[in-house]
Amino acid sequence: MSTQTIKTKPLNRRIYLVLSILAIATLAAYWPSFTVPFYLDDRLSVVENHLLHTGSVIELWQVYGMRFVGYLTFWLNAQTSTNSIEALHLTNFAIHLMNGGLVFLLARLLTRHFVLNLEDKQIVFFAAVVSLVWLVHPLNTQAVTYIVQRLASLVTLFYLIALFSYFKIKLEQFSILWLLSFVISIVFGLLTKQNFLTLFVFILTFEVVFSEKNRQVRYWQAFLIAFLLLALVYPFALDLFKSISVLTKETTATSRNGYFVTQTVVIWLYIKKFFLPASLQLDMGVMVANPSSGLHFVALLAHIALIGIAIKAKRYMPLFTIGILLYYAGHSVESFVIPITDLAFEHRTYLPNVGLTIAFCSLVHKYCKGYSSQLVLASVLIVLLLIVTTYKRNQLWQDPYSFYQNDYQLAPESPRAMEAFALQLIAKGELDKAEPLLLKSVNENLIQGKVTVTGLNNLMLILFQQGKYQAAINTAMVSLKYIKQPKDKSLILSTIAYGYIKMGWCDFARGLSNKAMQLDSSNVRAKEYFEYCSQT
């Protein structure tokens, strides 16, 4: 009894010490984030979302469905702190910190079972480095500092709980509590964000790769399961495939093949940013690869080679294998064959980079034998460098003008970057500089078969101020066919109506205002323009 006490007490103290270090280091890196203002979707999705202030939980469920849990946390923020910036950021930070703790526990569990001949203090050190590198990596700031991207960090929380529970059951012993934890976290994860489904992709690939059964038996089992599933769905194949096709497309502007080919390069860009996080940006300025080139083919071959090497190395570097499988599984929804409007975003790396961090640290550990003072010093220096870089990135987030100017400089051909910087120029009264950026942004979007309502509306207002009414109306008319949401159409129609009022054509303005009100009864400006023209 006494021997057991002697062994466990120092270990517990080490774990508490590590968790304290994780909290202090993360707080140091994210301290400037607590006063970062609202960006992009923050206002519409959180601040000006009346449902969060006056709606009930049932209404929240009816509107958000598969993202209910994420918006429930925003609803709780609104109920308790009226959406104060500090409270919203503090919640995001707390979720991130909990994720870091779970990464530590997961890395410790995996190291204990897959890396032999290590003392407890060595296992704790390795897990602590994995967690620290991931926690303070600047690539994660978008999922933590950008308030509405809480969904990315929250789904990671449930993902890590489910993954840890799965490995506890598989590697140690079955427990009803761990089974409940696994099931409950799956339910909450699926109701937070769709990319939680990648958990099942990882578990399936892990079971296949690490199965101790004869390879031929595994192939026959996989063939039999596939045959039975095909037999079940065959009678409903056409309807089923049509339904699946509709459900797995966020946009029709990009084909599945075009999206997939583009992602072969995008994932390497993510990996590059992980190792060289010097040019981080909100919009990466990625364009659809249409047609594909030899570069995309080479990129695909490189992915296949990396996965193949990882699988081959499972016997002598199992943590590297697990990390690579987790990384690619984590990207299998947002960076595969499901077309999403935005081709690349840094917050999509938040979950997959747990795997990449494990893989990288295990590789360093494999080829740096022992835990020498040099390795410890190198680890400390890397973590300190990441803390400083993340701190500076969060400082940049504090000033929207500098932030968007930096984005525009990094991606000068990106329509989103042009539009965002133009809006900051408008806020500073520099309309002459903003107009060409907004015009180019709208035209570039139209070429791609899409348009952003904010950019179009602001371009029209600038042209109106300069007396270019017909040019503004013509641009809006061309763009209207690409605007799908009734509320967005209503906004543009009411702005066109304003232009006609300024030109003295109230008949046109009244008709457009009436149509705008039919599309969105809460459009106050449309009502004002309609009443004005009715009295004229």
Side-chain angles (χ1 to χ4, degrees):
M1 188 75 174
S2 59
T3 306
Q4 188 178 5
T5 306
I6 291 172
K7 285 184 177 180
T8 57
K9 272 192 173 180
L11 178 61
N12 289 336
R13 284 201 295 269
R14 277 195 293 270
I15 291 175
Y16 295 143
L17 177 62
V18 166
L19 293 176
S20 300
I21 292 171
L22 296 181
I24 293 169
T26 311
L27 183 62
Y30 279 90
W31 184 257
S33 73
F34 297 119
T35 53
V36 167
F38 299 114
Y39 276 78
L40 296 179
D41 298 342
D42 285 345
R43 291 207 170 274
L44 286 176
S45 298
V46 181
V47 184
E48 297 172 6
N49 189 340
H50 299 296
L51 191 61
L52 300 180
H53 298 275
T54 59
S56 65
V57 174
I58 294 174
E59 289 173 318
L60 211 64
W61 165 256
Q62 291 171 342
V63 172
Y64 291 106
M66 297 305 289
R67 294 198 170 192
F68 165 73
V69 173
Y71 279 89
L72 178 63
T73 64
F74 289 128
W75 181 84
L76 290 170
N77 276 132
Q79 302 304 308
T80 55
S81 60
T82 61
N83 278 344
S84 74
I85 288 179
E86 293 80 6
L88 288 163
H89 281 301
L90 186 60
T91 306
N92 281 25
F93 176 80
I95 293 169
H96 181 55
L97 195 58
M98 286 189 285
N99 286 338
L102 285 166
V103 170
F104 168 73
L105 294 175
L106 178 64
R108 177 170 166 262
L109 176 66
L110 293 174
T111 308
R112 192 165 64 231
H113 286 276
F114 286 99
V115 183
L116 303 177
N117 303 320
L118 287 183
E119 297 178 5
D120 285 334
K121 64 180 181 181
Q122 294 173 322
I123 293 172
V124 170
F125 174 78
F126 176 81
V129 171
V130 170
S131 181
L132 269 173
V133 168
W134 183 81
L135 266 173
V136 300
H137 199 289
L139 197 53
N140 285 337
T141 54
Q142 197 175 107
V144 182
T145 308
Y146 183 12
I147 291 170
V148 81
Q149 291 307 333
R150 177 185 299 178
L151 271 66
S153 58
L154 191 62
V155 76
T156 301
L157 176 69
F158 299 123
Y159 191 108
L160 290 171
I161 294 172
L163 193 59
F164 184 74
S165 304
Y166 161 74
F167 277 120
K168 286 290 285 187
I169 294 170
K170 184 173 183 64
L171 301 178
E172 294 189 348
Q173 62 179 6
F174 177 81
S175 164
I176 293 295
L177 287 177
W178 287 120
L179 180 61
L180 282 173
S181 171
F182 182 68
V183 172
I184 292 170
S185 57
I186 285 176
V187 173
F188 277 80
L190 289 173
L191 293 176
T192 301
K193 201 177 179 186
Q194 292 88 331
N195 67 328
F196 184 85
L197 290 167
T198 61
L199 173 73
F200 305 109
V201 176
F202 170 76
I203 290 176
L204 178 62
T205 53
F206 175 83
E207 289 291 342
V208 171
V209 171
F210 283 88
S211 173
E212 296 178 359
K213 294 180 181 179
N214 181 278
R215 185 180 297 178
Q216 199 170 16
V217 173
R218 294 205 308 270
Y219 288 159
W220 275 108
Q221 285 179 340
F223 174 77
L224 182 61
I225 292 170
F227 178 79
L228 289 172
L229 287 173
L230 182 62
L232 285 170
V233 304
Y234 181 75
F236 319 99
L238 287 177
D239 291 338
L240 178 65
F241 292 152
K242 284 180 182 177
S243 300
I244 291 173
S245 179
V246 171
L247 289 171
T248 57
K249 270 189 177 182
E250 186 188 88
T251 177
T252 56
T254 308
S255 67
R256 291 188 190 278
N257 180 66
Y259 190 82
F260 171 73
V261 169
T262 306
Q263 295 305 310
T264 59
V265 172
V266 167
I267 293 177
W268 284 115
L269 291 176
Y270 290 152
I271 293 173
K272 177 188 173 184
K273 283 176 178 282
F274 177 83
F275 290 104
L276 295 170
S279 300
L280 302 182
Q281 56 202 116
L282 188 61
D283 181 76
M284 292 173 61
V286 175
M287 307 294 285
V288 179
N290 195 15
S292 59
S293 66
L295 174 65
H296 301 95
F297 182 68
V298 171
L300 177 60
L301 288 181
H303 289 305
I304 295 171
L306 179 56
I307 295 170
I309 291 168
I311 293 173
K312 196 73 175 174
K314 70 174 183 177
R315 294 194 181 279
Y316 56 93
M317 284 197 302
L319 287 187
F320 176 76
T321 306
I322 292 170
I324 294 298
L325 293 179
L326 184 56
Y327 181 74
Y328 279 97
H331 278 302
S332 61
V333 167
E334 293 173 315
S335 297
F336 192 40
V337 293
I338 301 175
I340 300 174
T341 304
D342 297 305
L343 295 170
F345 256 127
E346 289 173 0
H347 70 261
R348 292 178 187 169
T349 68
Y350 185 84
L351 170 56
N353 277 354
V354 173
L356 192 57
T357 309
I358 292 172
F360 168 68
C361 291
S362 66
L363 202 61
V364 172
H365 168 257
K366 177 69 178 179
Y367 292 101
C368 295
K369 300 294 183 182
Y371 285 80
S372 62
S373 56
Q374 291 90 343
L375 180 60
V376 174
L377 179 61
S379 301
V380 171
L381 289 175
I382 289 172
V383 168
L384 286 174
L385 181 62
L386 290 174
I387 289 173
V388 171
T389 308
T390 300
Y391 182 90
K392 289 184 176 179
R393 178 64 177 165
N394 279 316
Q395 279 187 317
L396 190 61
W397 276 92
Q398 285 185 322
D399 179 14
Y401 184 89
S402 299
F403 183 89
Y404 286 122
Q405 185 180 44
N406 177 69
D407 256 29
Y408 174 61
Q409 290 171 348
L410 291 172
E413 297 303 316
S414 165
R416 185 193 295 270
M418 284 186 258
E419 178 188 324
F421 185 46
L423 296 182
Q424 295 304 312
L425 290 170
I426 292 171
K428 283 185 172 288
E430 300 178 27
L431 302 185
D432 292 340
K433 293 180 181 178
E435 182 192 340
L437 284 178
L438 279 176
L439 187 59
K440 189 176 179 181
S441 171
V442 170
N443 287 335
E444 288 293 328
N445 276 325
L446 287 175
I447 291 170
Q448 298 175 40
K450 61 181 182 180
V451 67
T452 63
V453 176
T454 307
L456 176 61
N457 195 58
N458 280 283
L459 173 61
M460 291 171 66
L461 293 176
I462 288 177
L463 292 173
F464 286 162
Q465 288 184 29
Q466 297 176 343
K468 301 175 183 178
Y469 299 109
Q470 199 59 56
I473 290 169
N474 291 343
T475 303
M477 289 298 189
V478 172
S479 306
L480 268 175
K481 65 178 180 180
Y482 298 105
I483 300 173
K484 306 299 181 184
Q485 297 297 325
K487 196 166 187 175
D488 293 339
K489 279 192 173 184
S490 175
L491 173 64
I492 298 303
L493 287 172
S494 61
T495 307
I496 295 173
Y498 171 76
Y500 277 125
I501 289 173
K502 297 297 287 185
M503 294 168 67
W505 296 353
C506 247
D507 288 341
F508 286 107
R510 186 168 58 248
L512 288 168
S513 300
N514 186 47
K515 191 171 182 180
M517 288 190 293
Q518 291 174 5
L519 290 168
D520 179 16
S521 58
S522 64
N523 190 330
V524 177
R525 288 186 178 178
K527 291 177 183 177
E528 290 175 355
Y529 299 154
F530 182 81
E531 290 172 2
Y532 173 83
C533 288
S534 297
Q535 294 169 5
T536 302

